[in-house]
Every structure is written in C-alpha cells, then in structure tokens.
Amino acid sequence: MSLSIPFVYHASYSQLALPSTHRFPTTKYHNLYQHALKQQLLFEQYRHTPTPISKDTLYTVHCPQYVEQFINGALYHKAQRRIGFPWSQELVTRTLHAVNGTRLCAELALKHGIAVHLTGGYHHAHYDFGSGFCIFNDLVIAARSAIDSGKADKVLIFDCDVHQGDGTATLTQGSPDIISCSIHCAQNFPSRKQQSDHDIALDKGCTDKQYLEHIQQILPYLIRIHQPDLIIYDAGVDIHQHDDLGYFAISNQGILARDKQVISIAQMHSIPLAAVIGGGYSRNEAELTIRHSQLLIAANEIWSPQCQAIQNQ
C-alpha cells in the first residue's frame, strides 16, 4: 500500500436537517467519505477529527459580535437568510467543526506535504456577515492561524470554485502575508464582485482546454512572484458542465486534470498543499460524489507515489 493521504472529516458535516426543497447537498460529505474508503482513496487510520473551533480563533478574522450572534441564534432574519441556512444547533455544531477542520488540514499539510478536508471552502463569508452557504471563512482563518503560529510567513489561497471568493477578497485586503486568487465565472454569483489580489474571471461555457490553460499559467506565476510557504486550494467542482449552480462546461476529466495540475505544481516547488473540496451542487448524489472524488484520485496518482519513492530512498 502506498503512503496514504492525511484527511480531515467529522460526522456533523452531513448531519444538517434541511427542507427537502433546499438546494444544498448536505449528504455529499458523508457520501464522499464512504466512497473514498470503499475505493481505497483514503484510509481510516489517516483520518483526523477536528474539535470545535474556539471563539478566540474566530475573532482573529471575524467580528466578535457577529460570531456571538450566530452561535447564540441571535442573527436578524435578513442576515440568516443571506447565509442560506435556517439556524439550528446542528448548524452551529457543523460550522464550528468544519471551520476548525480546514485549520487542522493546513497544519497537517505543513507537516506531511499534503492534506485534504472533506468539506470547506466557505469563501463567501465576510468580516461581519455570512453569505451563499458560508458563515465563517475557513480559508482565511486557516491561513491566519498558520501565519500567527509561526509555521508560515506567507499563504496563497488558490480558489478554483466557480463562484468568486468575495469574502476571502475583502478579508485579505491589506494583508500582504495572505495572497488571494480566485478563478471563477464572470457571470455567476456573487453579482457584485470584490477585488482579490488576483482575479481570473472566465466566461460562461468555459471548456476544459481553456480552463486548464489558465491554471497552468497562473499558479506557477503566483508561486514565482509571491513564494508562499503554504497553498490552501479550494477544489470546487461546481465548475462541472452539469452542476446546478455553475455555468462552465468542464468535464469529469477536466476536473481531474485541474487537480493533478495543482498538486503537481505544488509538489514541483515543494510547497505544502491543503485542499478543501469546495462547492458542488447536484440532485444526483452519485454523480456529485464522483466529481469530488477526482481530487482524491489526483492526490493518490501524483502525491502518494512521489512520497513513497522518497520514503524508500
């Protein structure tokens, strides 16, 4: 068996009761976890389970009043509606574990070279409000934690979700040690875009070839000019041609090629990579699982053999 990939998962990720008409696929995390174990893409002995994130850690990125209001179920109805989930204690539990999961994923990547979080990518969360199914910005929190702990001097957030990481953009403005890059659909949510350090806005109908060419050009460029100590990679699959909320024309093969590109480039430059699965929306649970599993297939194909070769030297 090749050296396996450290990953982060908590049962609460899929333990969120939502109305049957709700478009958020809350079951996808458990489905991916089970699929990954069955297909031996991940192994249980390499699983890491997060604890709830502390309020003090949330305060390093978010408004304390907003944090308290969300945890205590005291947000105004309009603010809760903007998030897109009805408030519940299960939502609080899920959120606190998931956000800390990405922070833990970053720690594991810095230690092992790569790690995967089977949720994450809450890039629409801003300083004092949530949006688009995102409550607290796990990407920025993980980056800030890695820097504040002295484990990294500069972190690159490389966001390949189909939607712009507007919350990440606003939260990292004025922070030269966290570099935000968003590769997204120009015509998709949010309607009002924010300014990341680097924005690559692609048009509706973007194909595999067009998309992969941009990845191949931009990531080495970002590494060259910023020299990050850690890459936090949002591997959203809502770029897929059949995604319910995406406007691109990317195939499963295109997703796999993208993930292999990103992992290979990070490996080539010896930069630790913490990957979160990001967005992906479909009523077809089996197809959605396959889309998200491309990240794990890529990691096994690119990363595990290289680490095994190093270990055997």
Side-chain angles (χ1 to χ4, degrees):
M1 183 181 73
S2 64
L3 196 65
S4 193
I5 300 162
F7 72 101
V8 180
Y9 175 76
H10 193 274
S12 66
Y13 298 168
S14 285
Q15 293 175 345
L16 181 61
L18 296 172
S20 59
T21 56
H22 202 286
R23 69 198 316 172
F24 189 83
T26 189
T27 58
K28 74 175 185 177
Y29 310 106
H30 178 73
N31 292 344
L32 179 61
Y33 169 65
Q34 292 292 332
H35 175 81
L37 295 181
K38 183 177 180 180
Q39 298 299 319
Q40 295 191 323
L41 298 170
L42 298 173
F43 295 89
E44 185 65 26
Q45 60 265 42
Y46 297 99
R47 170 185 169 184
H48 297 260
T49 304
T51 57
I53 198 162
S54 70
K55 291 181 182 179
D56 286 343
T57 304
L58 292 173
Y59 295 162
T60 63
V61 170
H62 290 284
C63 171
Q65 183 180 15
Y66 168 59
V67 172
E68 294 291 339
Q69 287 177 338
F70 168 73
I71 290 175
N72 295 317
L75 287 176
Y76 290 112
H77 175 70
K78 184 177 180 181
Q80 191 69 47
R81 187 174 60 188
R82 187 172 190 175
I83 289 171
F85 292 130
W87 187 90
S88 66
Q89 191 57 55
E90 290 77 15
L91 178 61
V92 174
T93 299
R94 175 188 184 275
T95 299
L96 298 183
H97 284 88
V99 172
N100 207 32
T102 300
R103 187 196 61 78
L104 175 58
C105 182
E107 286 187 358
L108 291 167
L110 286 162
K111 182 177 180 180
H112 299 286
I114 195 171
V116 177
H117 189 199
L118 300 189
T119 187
Y122 308 131
H123 58 176
H124 300 309
H126 295 252
Y127 174 68
D128 56 359
F129 68 92
S131 175
F133 308 139
C134 302
I135 297 159
F136 302 129
N137 196 305
D138 62 317
L139 306 173
V140 178
I141 289 170
R144 178 51 57 203
S145 180
I147 293 167
D148 290 348
S149 66
K151 296 175 181 176
D153 292 325
K154 186 174 288 188
V155 177
L156 168 63
I157 298 176
F158 191 63
D159 189 342
C160 291
D161 190 280
V162 79
H163 307 103
Q164 195 215 25
D166 56 330
T168 302
T170 61
L171 286 169
T172 57
Q173 288 172 359
S175 298
D177 50 1
I178 304 178
I179 308 303
S180 60
C181 175
S182 179
I183 304 177
H184 55 268
C185 178
Q187 295 86 7
N188 210 323
F189 177 89
S191 58
R192 182 180 179 184
K193 306 294 192 288
Q194 302 296 328
Q195 187 174 349
S196 310
D197 291 306
H198 302 271
D199 282 302
I200 296 87
L202 306 177
D203 289 330
K204 284 183 179 181
C206 180
T207 64
D208 286 4
K209 183 177 184 294
Q210 295 167 334
Y211 188 81
L212 294 172
E213 285 175 352
H214 279 88
I215 299 292
Q216 190 61 47
Q217 291 172 6
I218 189 64
L219 185 53
Y221 168 77
L222 294 173
I223 290 172
R224 185 170 66 253
I225 64 171
H226 295 295
Q227 301 185 337
D229 304 299
L230 170 68
I231 298 172
I232 300 178
Y233 171 42
D234 186 341
V237 301
D238 41 13
I239 63 170
H240 193 271
Q241 57 192 339
H242 298 311
D243 190 86
D244 292 349
L245 301 180
Y247 299 143
F248 283 167
I250 309 300
S251 66
N252 283 351
Q253 293 77 16
I255 292 173
L256 177 62
R258 176 199 66 179
D259 293 341
K260 290 173 72 172
Q261 273 186 335
V262 172
I263 295 170
S264 296
I265 292 168
Q267 287 287 357
M268 187 185 307
H269 292 86
S270 301
I271 302 173
L273 182 78
V276 302
I277 69 168
Y281 306 90
S282 175
R283 298 288 184 183
N284 189 317
E285 294 185 1
E287 287 188 3
L288 187 55
T289 297
I290 293 300
R291 294 170 200 171
H292 279 300
S293 70
Q294 302 309 305
L295 172 65
L296 307 179
I297 293 170
N300 276 279
E301 289 186 6
I302 301 299
W303 180 78
S304 291
Q306 181 174 349
C307 287
Q308 189 69 50
I310 292 171
Q311 188 182 58
N312 291 337
Q313 286 178 358

